[in-house]
Amino acid sequence: MENVKKQKYTQDIIMLFGMVLVLVLSFWKSKYGLGGGDEAFDLTIAYRMCHGDKLFLHEWHVSQLSSFLLFPIMKLYLLLFNSTDAIILHFRYIYIFVNLLVGCVAYFRLRKHGIGAVFAVILYLLYVPYNIMNLSYDNMGLMCNFLCTIFLITSDEKYKIYLIAGIFYAGMVLCQPPLIFVFAVVFFVGLIFILVRRQYKTLRKLGAFLAGCVIPAIPVLAYLLINVGIKNIVISLVGMMSDPEHSATTNVLVIIYKTL
């Protein structure tokens, strides 16, 4: 027992050293390189929301739903500083702290699995999608994906953990909306399998995960219905799918629009 405690203590020290090293390197790196169009653009949608613009009404970009996650942070930032001076650099700092928090949560869940937890978390912290150190839809989607997976594999058959995993999956969908179709297919196939095998305990787990997905969806749907309306949402979807940079067929959307 004493030997196990010593191993855990050594593991925690290694983890702490690794996190501090990543933190120092991240702050050093944050002052170098250009954000380019994507980094600035990701911040502008949430910024515009703070000034009254409505998603799906004043914005057509396919990644806009991720701004629901960024909006509270942007709102708080503007309340505290009331300025956009050095906002890209400051949001790089915010990204570093949010990412570090995600790493801490992941390590807390994986800690019992030994030294492998250290390497898994450190590798996650070192990876920055497209080398954009900011709260973009790619980065926030990765955070939600990582935590969703971690909570699922460490659920210990507890329904509340499946609920939390579902919440993070909903965050993934906000960042990458096509994932809702992946969920629909997997959920339907899984539901049939569970009912055929009569695994009703597993059905309750699936229900808890679904409840977690629904919780964030309620305020999002309420926002869209109150501020935008179904007809304007369809119009926006037609525009989004007609964007030459995001080519896709729009016939179905146009038909739906014309029937409204």
Side-chain angles (χ1 to χ4, degrees):
M1 189 66 178
E2 187 66 29
N3 189 40
V4 172
K5 288 183 177 180
K6 186 177 180 179
Q7 288 178 350
K8 289 297 181 185
Y9 177 76
T10 303
Q11 176 183 317
D12 291 342
I13 293 298
I14 296 173
M15 185 70 228
L16 180 61
F17 176 78
M19 282 191 163
V20 170
L21 182 60
V22 171
L23 187 65
V24 172
L25 290 174
S26 297
F27 273 105
W28 170 80
K29 181 179 177 294
S30 64
K31 296 182 180 181
Y32 295 92
L34 297 175
D38 284 337
E39 185 173 9
F41 173 75
D42 290 327
L43 297 180
T44 58
I45 301 180
Y47 178 82
R48 287 164 46 205
M49 287 179 69
C50 294
H51 288 82
D53 277 12
K54 308 298 182 185
L55 299 186
F56 285 92
L57 189 62
H58 303 116
E59 176 58 53
W60 280 5
H61 197 273
V62 293
S63 69
Q64 60 184 288
L65 285 175
S66 63
S67 296
F68 279 112
L69 302 176
L70 186 55
F71 170 75
I73 301 174
M74 178 64 74
K75 188 69 174 180
L76 180 60
Y77 177 86
L78 293 176
L79 287 174
L80 292 175
F81 297 99
N82 194 30
S83 172
T84 57
D85 292 344
I87 190 171
I88 290 181
L89 179 61
H90 292 162
F91 265 83
R92 288 180 183 180
Y93 295 157
I94 293 172
Y95 163 78
I96 293 170
F97 281 115
V98 172
N99 205 39
L100 191 67
L101 177 62
V102 171
C104 289
V105 173
Y107 178 69
F108 176 77
R109 298 294 305 176
L110 294 173
R111 181 175 178 266
K112 63 183 178 181
H113 295 287
I115 195 67
V118 175
F119 291 105
V121 175
I122 294 299
L123 286 174
Y124 159 78
L125 291 174
L126 288 173
Y127 176 64
V128 181
Y130 300 102
N131 203 30
I132 298 176
M133 295 179 62
N134 218 315
L135 294 174
S136 67
Y137 56 92
D138 289 306
N139 291 340
M140 291 189 293
L142 177 64
M143 293 174 184
C144 291
N145 188 349
F146 188 57
L147 289 178
C148 177
T149 304
I150 294 299
F151 275 91
L152 283 176
I153 64 178
T154 61
S155 62
D156 296 326
E157 305 298 314
K158 296 179 180 177
Y159 298 124
K160 64 179 181 181
I161 303 300
Y162 285 98
L163 181 76
I164 296 172
I167 292 174
F168 285 119
Y169 191 89
M172 290 168 56
V173 171
L174 288 176
C175 295
Q176 300 289 345
L179 287 174
I180 194 171
F181 300 109
V182 176
F183 172 79
V185 172
V186 174
F187 183 86
F188 180 73
V189 173
L191 183 62
I192 293 177
F193 180 82
I194 290 169
L195 292 177
V196 170
R197 299 290 297 271
R198 297 183 180 181
Q199 297 178 343
Y200 299 117
K201 186 176 181 181
T202 304
L203 182 62
R204 288 193 290 270
K205 297 175 186 176
L206 191 63
F209 185 83
L210 178 62
C213 293
V214 170
I215 290 173
I218 293 174
V220 172
L221 291 174
Y223 167 91
L224 293 174
L225 292 175
I226 294 171
N227 293 286
V228 184
I230 296 177
K231 185 173 182 178
N232 287 326
I233 292 174
V234 174
I235 294 172
S236 182
L237 286 173
V238 172
M240 289 162 58
M241 295 299 103
S242 301
D243 184 348
E245 292 186 2
H246 307 91
S247 59
T249 178
T250 62
N251 292 337
V252 174
L253 293 172
V254 172
I255 292 172
I256 295 173
Y257 168 63
K258 290 183 176 180
T259 61
L260 295 176

